Amino acid sequence: MRSVRIQVLGSMRAWKDGAELELGPPARRAVLGLLVLAEGETVPSGSLVDALWGERPPRSAVNVLQTHVKHLRRLLEPGRSSRSSSEVLPYVNGGYAVNQAAVTVDLTAFRLLVAEANEAYRNDEWDRAAAGLGEALALWHGRPVADIPLLATHPKVVSLIAKHREVVARHGDAMIAIGAAAEVLPEMAEAAAEQPLDESAQARLIRAYHAAGHRAKAFQTYHEVRDRLVEELGIDPGPELRAAHATLLHDDGSTSTAQPRAVPAVPRQLPAQPSGFTGRTAQLSTLDELAAERPGGAMTIAAISGTAGVGKTALAVHWGHSVSDRFPDGQLYANLRGHTSAGAAAPIEVLAGFLSALDVPAERVPVDVETASAMFRTLTTDRKMLVLLDNAAGPDQVRPLLPAGRGCLVVVTGRDRMTGLVAMHGARQITLDVLSPDDALELLRCVLGPRRVRAEPAAAAEFAKLCAYLPLALRIAAANLSDRPGHGIEDYVAELREGNVLTALEVPGDEQAAVRAAFDLSYAALPHEARRLFRLLSLIPGLDASTEAIAALTGTDPERSLDRLAGAHLVELQTPGRYSFHDLLRRYAAEQAEPDREAALHRLYDWYLNAVDGAARLLYPHMLRLPVPDLDARTPSGVTGPAEAASWLDTERGNLVAAVRSGPRPAAWLIADALRGYFWMSTRRVEWQATAEAGLAAAEEAGEPRARATARLSLADLYFRQSRYREAVRHYTHAHLLARQAGWVEAQAAVLGNLGRDHALRALAIHRETGHRTAEALTLAVLERAGR
């Protein structure tokens, strides 16, 4: 029986043989707390020093840390010889860990109880779920390590608090389902009070009041929440709140008031199943083995590496679809853009997308990668998920994106061997080579048809060899040949042979030479308009583009040319009306001379700016913005009201952020400024910060004071929404100075209105002088709230 028991869910406490131990000064308690919060993982000495002393540790920091560990070992293992290794706090690979086999920890018990209860929850076994979650919550005695202020904002603590909220919510759902809502009303009310703008928490409280028979209180709560959302965020209640309200309206008292649970988000993000997938039997078998090893073990990683165009993504996506039923909690996907000209995706941006897919409200998504990563690990601890990280630049980009659940499997694809993941995380390396000759012929049969390949077997074999058995080259070359029914395979082989210089020199052809030869022939076979479109598509700032954006880019109707490019496998239809293409093809397209390049770029960015400006006028017409020039650009079809405008911004958000980062001035800062109101409403803080900082950089490079003022105002609003008031005031002050330099009176008033009551009074006077009635009304509202 384990004789040491440790508590971190509340104050930091420990017992030895039933007697509580005096753990010593705060720093020593913090060391033990950090080690326990790591849940068996080794914490490097450097990380402990950073947590205890920050950026300026004393020279004696390591010695002091060793002294703290020595004292803790004496307390926890009083009979141990100083020369023998510690059973409870062993030294491992340059750090320390808590041996979970030697101690009883309340956090470990909490995790196990939640995992068991969640399994019952998924199977609709309400009684077992409610009992298990209730038992897990009983282990909480307050904020984790509540008596150690030093750790109050540590990512592990922050993520555990988020986990506690999630468990409270699920327990509430289960208790409502079994007819015991009255027992959890205090907990639901407390959770809702802590998160006044969290619609899920408020909807759950409304359902609890309703299920407990307090219908009038449920109605009152709904109206209070609705008014709060309108007043503070300028938005109406979302689907979950509306559903709870609708149930209240339709309940005449004759039916049961028990409400269904809120079903956890189950993301299904895998791209479409690749067509004509062939071969890869050994690699598929390895992946199957990894999936079979997963239950009861640690989180598993498969690292698929290989040259560009070899089919890494196709393998991962094909296998992911084939085993999706093994991952009932969903599949997450991200293109990490490791080898695109626009640069690799920042881990924080990927985490923001993952957390959003897991139903984390936008305002709760952290803006720093460490906290966001900790939250992601917390949310995946008890889930069985597949995470596909595609086109990775390297292990450092991947590490923050790894889930924590033992039921999770991660597949990483990249051109380089992920030796860092193998060494540090036990990843299984899967190296992908070109197709075998037989599998390459099978791929040709899928594209050209079996009869055509059967008619010219020798030429087909030579075709595959000239394409270096590389899937991307094979698909593009075969698609080109399939559009030429009068040509035999032998004829096309002659063209390929002529274009492949390495083969002509009788040097073993490398894969990229084969790709270049296939690209050259396919590109040359296109009609003039399709070739022009292909070249211009390299200017798209994001990963994909809508047909309307492409029309703006070209200045023509692109439908016919897009169909031609898709048929030639030079672009991919991602979803109806949206297209993307392989990063190798994007690079190839960018290398082709295009005389209309600059004009096309300005047409595209004018279209984006015009569209964002139109959406802004529908969603937040009262908000001060930089004036947008009159543009000869079409607006997106179907955007006729606020709902459609918000939907369009959600869809195009990735492209718009990329446009601000890479677009020409002044379009970059104008788009960034026009998006400020959208980010204020949606509270997507990660994208907001990236956009505001990029807009500010563009404005400062150009020395444009008005643009600099609005970029500072955007950053100030962002920090204000995060309750980081010192940073907010600093940026508001900068914005005010810049607005004064530019003689922009309205902007001065807008900034002053956010700097407190005295400044708001000055802003009110300016608004009245300039006749800005909407701003006057909003400032009066600020003053009214300040006077309460």
Side-chain angles (χ1 to χ4, degrees), residues 531-533 535-536 539 589 592-598 600:
R531 287 203 303 272
R532 175 175 177 267
L533 172 58
R535 295 191 300 267
L536 292 177
L539 301 177
Q592 311 308 308
E594 172 50 54
D596 188 34
R597 179 184 179 88
E598 288 303 316

Side-chain angles (χ1 to χ4, degrees), residues 184-216:
V184 290
L185 269 176
E187 290 85 352
M188 296 298 97
E190 182 179 352
E194 290 176 353
Q195 307 163 80
L197 299 176
D198 187 321
E199 295 191 42
S200 292
Q202 304 301 327
R204 189 172 292 106
L205 177 60
I206 291 168
R207 293 199 303 271
Y209 278 132
H210 186 195
H214 304 302
R215 194 160 175 259

Side-chain angles (χ1 to χ4, degrees), residues 598-653:
E598 288 303 316
L601 190 66
H602 284 286
R603 283 196 302 270
L604 175 65
Y605 279 82
D606 282 352
W607 184 82
Y608 278 133
L609 177 57
N610 193 63
V612 176
D613 180 61
R617 292 175 188 277
L618 289 168
L619 286 168
Y620 34 91
H622 59 278
M623 184 169 282
L624 175 76
R625 293 192 290 117
L626 290 167
V628 173
D630 291 333
L631 301 171
D632 183 20
R634 293 169 291 179
T635 55
S637 61
V639 179
T640 57
E644 295 85 0
S647 177
W648 184 85
L649 288 168
D650 287 339
T651 301
E652 293 291 343
R653 182 174 61 251

Side-chain angles (χ1 to χ4, degrees), residues 456 459 481 484 486-497:
E456 298 182 79
L481 179 55
R484 303 159 73 177
H487 281 63
I489 298 178
E490 179 61 43
D491 298 327
Y492 197 73
V493 164
E495 294 182 50
L496 272 174
R497 192 182 293 116

Side-chain angles (χ1 to χ4, degrees), residues 324-339:
S324 59
D325 60 327
R326 301 189 196 180
F327 301 96
D329 293 318
Q331 303 90 44
L332 293 169
Y333 171 86
N335 184 345
L336 302 186
R337 308 195 307 267
H339 303 280

Side-chain angles (χ1 to χ4, degrees), residues 175-478:
M175 293 292 278
I176 291 170
I178 65 173
E183 297 179 29
V184 290
L185 269 176
E187 290 85 352
M188 296 298 97
E190 182 179 352
E194 290 176 353
Q195 307 163 80
L197 299 176
D198 187 321
E199 295 191 42
S200 292
Q202 304 301 327
R204 189 172 292 106
L205 177 60
I206 291 168
R207 293 199 303 271
Y209 278 132
H210 186 195
H214 304 302
R215 194 160 175 259
K217 184 62 175 175
F219 271 117
Q220 179 187 343
T221 302
Y222 172 79
H223 290 296
E224 289 174 351
V225 174
R226 183 194 62 188
D227 292 345
R228 190 182 307 132
L229 290 171
V230 171
E231 179 181 348
E232 298 193 24
L233 300 183
I235 60 174
D236 292 321
E240 195 171 354
L241 273 171
R242 292 199 302 269
H245 184 234
T247 305
L248 282 172
L249 292 173
H250 292 95
D251 177 21
D252 59 4
S254 61
T255 58
S256 170
T257 58
Q259 302 297 310
R261 64 173 173 143
V263 179
V266 180
R268 307 287 186 191
Q269 295 186 339
L270 290 181
Q273 177 78 272
S275 62
F277 182 86
T278 60
R280 310 306 192 190
T281 305
Q283 291 82 6
L284 291 169
S285 177
T286 300
L287 288 168
D288 285 337
E289 290 172 9
L290 287 174
E293 293 171 5
R294 184 172 41 81
M299 179 268 299
T300 308
I301 305 173
I304 303 174
S305 62
T307 189
V310 80
K312 301 179 293 295
T313 300
L315 169 64
V317 172
H318 172 81
W319 181 79
H321 280 286
S322 71
V323 296
S324 59
D325 60 327
R326 301 189 196 180
F327 301 96
D329 293 318
Q331 303 90 44
L332 293 169
Y333 171 86
N335 184 345
L336 302 186
R337 308 195 307 267
H339 303 280
T340 64
S341 57
I348 185 60
E349 295 176 7
V350 179
L351 286 167
F354 283 174
L355 292 172
S356 177
L358 295 173
D359 268 0
V360 176
E363 67 273 10
R364 283 185 52 209
V365 174
V367 295
D368 66 285
V369 68
E370 191 171 313
T371 307
S373 181
M375 180 180 285
F376 178 58
R377 291 193 298 273
T378 299
L379 292 176
T380 55
T381 297
D382 308 310
R383 304 197 190 200
K384 296 178 180 178
M385 303 190 76
L386 173 65
V387 181
L388 174 49
L389 304 174
D390 200 13
N391 297 316
D396 289 342
Q397 185 189 26
V398 168
R399 286 192 180 98
L401 310 178
L402 298 177
R406 295 185 175 185
C408 293
L409 193 150
V410 181
V411 178
V412 184
T413 76
R415 295 183 191 174
D416 301 323
R417 293 174 63 85
M418 299 286 173
T419 52
L421 294 180
V422 175
M424 298 295 293
H425 301 279
R428 178 79 68 89
Q429 181 74 55
I430 299 176
T431 303
L432 205 59
D433 205 344
V434 296
L435 293 171
S436 69
D438 288 343
D439 288 336
L441 284 174
E442 181 59 33
L443 178 55
L444 289 181
R445 292 186 191 99
C446 291
V447 180
L448 297 176
R451 182 181 300 176
R452 205 167 175 185
V453 173
R454 228 178 7 250
E456 298 182 79
E462 180 70 5
F463 186 114
K465 183 178 180 181
L466 285 170
C467 289
Y469 307 115
L470 191 72
L472 180 63
L474 280 163
R475 286 182 183 278
I476 290 173

